Every structure is written in C-alpha cells, then in structure tokens.
Amino acid sequence: MWRGAVVRVVRGGGAGSPRAHSGTAVAQLRRRLEGELEAIRGAGTWKSERIIASRQGPHLRLAGGGAGAYGEAGRAFGLFPRCDTRASLSFPAGILNFCANNYLGLSSHPEVIRAAVEALEKFGAGLSSVRFICGTQSIHKDLEEKIARFHQREDAILYASCFDANAGIFEALLTPEDAVLSDELNHASIIDGIRLCKANKYRYKHMDMQDLEAKLQDAQKHRLRLVATDGAFSMDGDIAPLREICQLAQKYDALVFIDECHATGFLGPSGRGTDELLGVMDKVTIINSTLGKALGGAAGGYTTGPKPLIDLLRQRSRPYLFSNSLPPAVVGCASKALDLLMESNAIAQSMAAKTQRFRSKMTAAGFTISGKDHPICPVMLGDARLAAVMAEDMLNRGIYVIGFSYPVVPKGKARIRVQISAVHSDEDIDRCVEAFTEVGQKHGALP
C-alpha cells in the first residue's frame, strides 16, 4: 500500500514532484536563453553559418542560398524582413571566397587530399583513445618530428587544436612564482589559457614596447617571466614587433612565446612565420600554431620548443592528456602540406604579390586597409550597420566576405575582413576590388 502510494505520486507529477520541478527549471532556462539570444540579435552581432556545398577554395558553391550571416545582421538593424534563411534569397553561382584562413590553398590540394586518403586506409579513422594509453601511431611521431624540423626547434607535441595548445601550456609551465606578460589584443585562446594558470598576470598595451618594458621592470620580482604575443593579429592584420620584444626579453631575462596561427606557412622567406620574417628565430623560445589554416586546413595544433618543455607537456598538459589523438587523415593532410612547403617556397612567396595587389588597389580606390603586408586585409568602415549591409551586398555580387563589429572588435572599429589566398587569381582579386568600389559608393563609404 505504502509502496503503491509512492508510485502514484511520482507518476502523477504533482507540484512537489521532481518531474514538476524539472519542468519548471527547463522552462526558466528556455526563457533566459531566449532572452539572451534575442539580445544578441538586437545588437546586430548574431553569427549565422552559411552552408557550403563544395570544397573549401577560392570559388565556392553555397547550399540553398539564403540571407545567412548578414541577413541576420541586416534584420537586426531593420534592413531586411524576417524570412526563412534556408531558401529565401538566391545568390550568384560561383561565389568568390575571400574570408577563409586557407592562406596557401592547400585544403583542396590534390596531393594533400591523396595523403589523407592513404593515411585513412593505412591507419584507420581514429585511435579511440588518448595518446598515452593507446593513441599514438608512427604517423603522429613523424609529424611532430617534421614540425620541429620546419620551425628549427628541438621537439613538438600535437593537440586537437591550437586552442587546446594554448589552454595547455601556461598552466603546465607557470606557477605562482612566475609572471606572464600578454598583449591586450592576443587571441581569446591565449587569454583563456593564461586565466587557467596561477602565474602573476600582466597585460601590456597592444604592441606598445614602452608599456611592455614597464611591466617587465615590475615583473623582475618573479622567478620566471614569459612574454606572450600573437605573431600576427587576426583582426587587424598587424605583425608583432618581435625584434623589439626579443630585445626587451633579453634585457630583462624573460622568455618569448608566440602564437603563429596566422603566420605559419606563408610569412618569412620560407614560410616559417613571423620569427623568420623578422630574423629572430633563435630568440623565440616557444611557438604554438595550427594545422587548421595554411597547413592543410583540417584541424589540430601544436607546441614546438625546447625538448624538456615538450616532455613536461606530455606529462602535465591537460588538453593533451585528456583528448583523443588527432585522426590519421588529419595528420596525413598536415604532413603533406609541410612536405610541399619544405620542398619549395613558391607557394608562400606568391602570397606577397597577391596581398600587395589587393591592398594597393583598395587603397587607391579610397578604402582604409588595416595592418601591413599581411593577407588579412581589414577594410575599416567604423560603423557596424555599414559593415553589415556592405557585406550582404558584396555577397549579392558574388563575393563572400565577413563583417566584424563589437564585441568581436572595439566599438567604432567595425570592418569587413578580407583574406587573400595563394590560389586567388589576379582576376579574382580585381573582381573583389571592383565589387567593393561599387558597394562602397552605393552606401556612402566612398565618395
């Protein structure tokens, strides 16, 4: 009798039952989340995802058309009616892609694809395990050796992403006795990685060497000092003053760490990155970078540097210890990409001429392009609404670009970020400039 009563109460879902409380909690959660999502839409910062129905490359085919990323932004500003973004608008065939990190065009290179297929057939789809249990294959060790050789470092360690590499290094390396000095505009993954460690934290003004020196002077009381900076900053296309940073590090007995995600493969005479570009390869201690941009475009990241550091990361870096190994196909892609780069610097060198062509033509048209000599070419517009409508109009002209506004970039610094690839033709670049000029004049961004 007693047991049956309990069953009836639970099954009934009365006001005091766990099920009733659970339903109330879910309803409260839904209301809160819907409110937050509506606030994002209202601020014009909603990030939709366009669906690509082709390989990554300079020319794309979009699935189903639709208002997509800028339809949402435009509707938030009252520019477009609400509609079904899956099939409401049709865009020109043969979209030109100017917003990918596919700097060298290797994500669809036939030799890179073939290497992935061969690795998949030989080593399988995945390891179903972390590295130290049963997740290390010869293909992983070979790639790590190749990465270290490419960067002219002692050793390297693979991660699932460079975000993981940045999340794993600071906590393993730095203690409360140490200090880390970080550029204020460093990538979010560096910021999050530093938050995880217990070191004393200093943030210096963006590329401001006077402020960095002042912070280094204050940090002398700590055991170890690590200066952390992006090699190339992804939102502005500017390059860290590594010569000056290394000089200060030497003066104040500090180490230098650089994130090279937007430099590896194409900056420097042989594409080894900003430290090669600026002649300080022997002065930078630690490099973190990605396999998911210029080096094949799939996924994965790594740390390369002194062997004792890499050995320590294998023992203590939590993202490494508790994440499955990189899939063999991804490793095969990246390994072949590195082979191509080390065989010839022709692809990397082609970037400079293409980047200069776009920057000079856009400047001549009257646009302000941030950064210097980097294939990230932010077209500075200032106004978030203008960036949204111009990017939408560019897509209507067959050019796929992305606009950025607050909170991704500071208020008043809205821009459309254009990214040049080695596989863009001169005609592709000229067509993009022509479309920008037409759209800029239409919306008052140009006289």
Side-chain angles (χ1 to χ4, degrees):
M1 182 71 179
W2 177 81
R3 197 176 282 175
V6 172
V7 170
R8 283 194 296 274
V9 170
V10 172
R11 287 178 177 169
S17 73
R19 180 178 294 178
H21 285 302
S22 175
T24 301
V26 171
Q28 289 174 343
L29 176 64
R30 284 184 177 275
R31 286 194 296 271
R32 180 173 68 80
L33 296 179
E34 287 168 0
E36 290 184 20
L37 293 172
E38 194 57 41
I40 294 171
R41 291 188 182 94
T45 56
W46 184 270
K47 293 170 282 296
S48 293
E49 298 178 1
R50 296 197 185 281
I51 308 302
I52 297 172
S54 61
R55 293 177 177 181
Q56 178 66 276
H59 301 265
L60 297 177
R61 194 160 43 82
L62 299 184
Y70 293 102
E72 289 286 354
R75 284 190 292 275
F77 287 113
L79 302 171
F80 311 112
R82 283 198 175 274
C83 54
D84 182 352
T85 62
R86 291 169 296 178
S88 56
L89 299 177
S90 60
F91 295 113
I95 299 295
L96 270 177
N97 180 18
F98 278 91
C99 62
N101 297 316
N102 186 26
Y103 293 111
L104 299 178
L106 296 180
S107 64
S108 296
H109 192 287
E111 291 187 47
V112 172
I113 294 172
R114 191 178 306 116
V117 172
E118 290 173 357
L120 182 65
E121 291 176 342
K122 182 176 181 179
F123 293 100
L127 278 299
S128 306
S129 183
V130 300
R131 289 280 297 269
F132 80 94
I133 299 177
C134 60
T136 298
Q137 292 173 319
S138 58
I139 194 171
H140 297 91
K141 300 304 293 182
D142 291 344
L143 178 56
E144 287 170 336
E145 185 277 329
K146 196 173 293 185
I147 287 168
R149 181 156 41 92
F150 178 75
H151 286 285
Q152 299 178 13
R153 296 305 195 275
E154 294 177 12
D155 202 356
I157 179 173
L158 290 171
Y159 286 88
S161 68
C162 190
F163 204 112
D164 277 347
N166 285 339
I169 188 166
F170 300 103
E171 183 181 25
L173 177 63
L174 303 175
T175 74
E177 297 180 65
D178 304 318
V180 57
L181 302 95
S182 175
D183 188 294
E184 66 180 352
L185 294 188
N186 276 339
H187 190 268
S189 59
I190 299 175
I191 294 169
D192 285 357
I194 289 173
R195 284 173 177 164
L196 291 172
C197 79
K198 296 179 180 179
N200 298 274
K201 302 171 181 65
Y202 296 81
R203 185 175 67 172
Y204 64 91
K205 296 175 184 176
H206 181 48
M207 301 200 307
D208 186 327
M209 295 300 96
Q210 287 186 332
D211 193 39
L212 174 57
E213 182 165 20
K215 298 292 195 302
L216 279 167
Q217 289 171 346
D218 188 55
Q220 288 302 291
K221 56 182 175 283
H222 303 299
R223 181 188 64 174
L224 182 150
R225 292 156 295 285
L226 178 69
V227 180
T229 181
D230 276 310
F233 292 84
S234 62
M235 283 297 114
D236 294 287
D238 47 9
I239 296 171
L242 283 182
R243 290 194 190 101
E244 293 81 0
I245 289 173
C246 290
Q247 287 168 359
L248 287 174
Q250 186 172 10
K251 180 178 179 180
Y252 292 99
D253 195 23
L255 305 174
V256 177
F257 162 97
I258 54 175
D259 179 310
E260 288 282 79
C261 286
H262 292 276
T264 297
F266 57 92
L267 288 189
S270 56
R272 280 165 168 79
T274 55
D275 60 339
E276 183 190 44
L277 177 72
L278 298 173
V280 292
M281 290 186 75
D282 60 334
K283 295 178 173 60
V284 172
T285 310
I286 306 166
I287 293 173
N288 276 13
S289 194
T290 183
L291 306 174
K293 293 182 171 59
L295 300 184
Y302 58 85
T303 296
T304 185
K307 189 177 189 311
L309 169 65
I310 303 305
D311 289 342
L312 180 70
L313 293 176
R314 293 192 195 280
Q315 302 303 313
R316 291 188 178 173
S317 180
R318 293 167 69 85
Y320 176 82
L321 290 169
F322 298 104
S323 294
N324 264 23
S325 306
L326 273 180
V330 172
V331 178
C333 281
S335 186
K336 176 54 68 174
L338 282 170
D339 288 343
L340 294 172
L341 283 174
M342 288 192 280
E343 288 168 6
S344 169
N345 65 353
I347 303 177
Q349 288 300 299
S350 73
M351 289 298 306
K354 295 176 187 294
T355 297
Q356 179 58 31
R357 184 182 187 92
F358 179 80
R359 284 180 172 271
S360 61
K361 283 179 172 283
M362 287 290 285
T363 301
F367 289 102
T368 299
I369 310 299
S370 179
K372 182 182 179 182
D373 300 330
H374 194 284
I376 291 174
C377 303
V379 182
M380 303 304 293
L381 299 169
D383 183 72
R385 177 184 181 277
L386 179 62
V389 296
M390 280 186 60
E392 183 76 19
D393 225 355
M394 288 289 288
L395 188 58
N396 290 332
R397 285 166 169 77
I399 310 294
Y400 189 177
V401 289
I402 295 292
F404 293 88
S405 57
Y406 182 82
V408 179
V409 296
K411 288 183 178 179
K413 298 286 187 180
R415 79 281 307 266
I416 293 175
R417 188 178 73 171
V418 177
Q419 292 173 266
I420 306 299
S421 173
V423 288
H424 283 130
S425 67
D426 288 348
E427 292 76 16
D428 292 339
I429 292 170
D430 293 348
R431 180 179 156 194
C432 182
V433 173
E434 290 168 7
F436 260 112
T437 303
E438 292 174 8
V439 171
Q441 290 172 342
K442 174 182 175 181
H443 295 285
L446 291 177

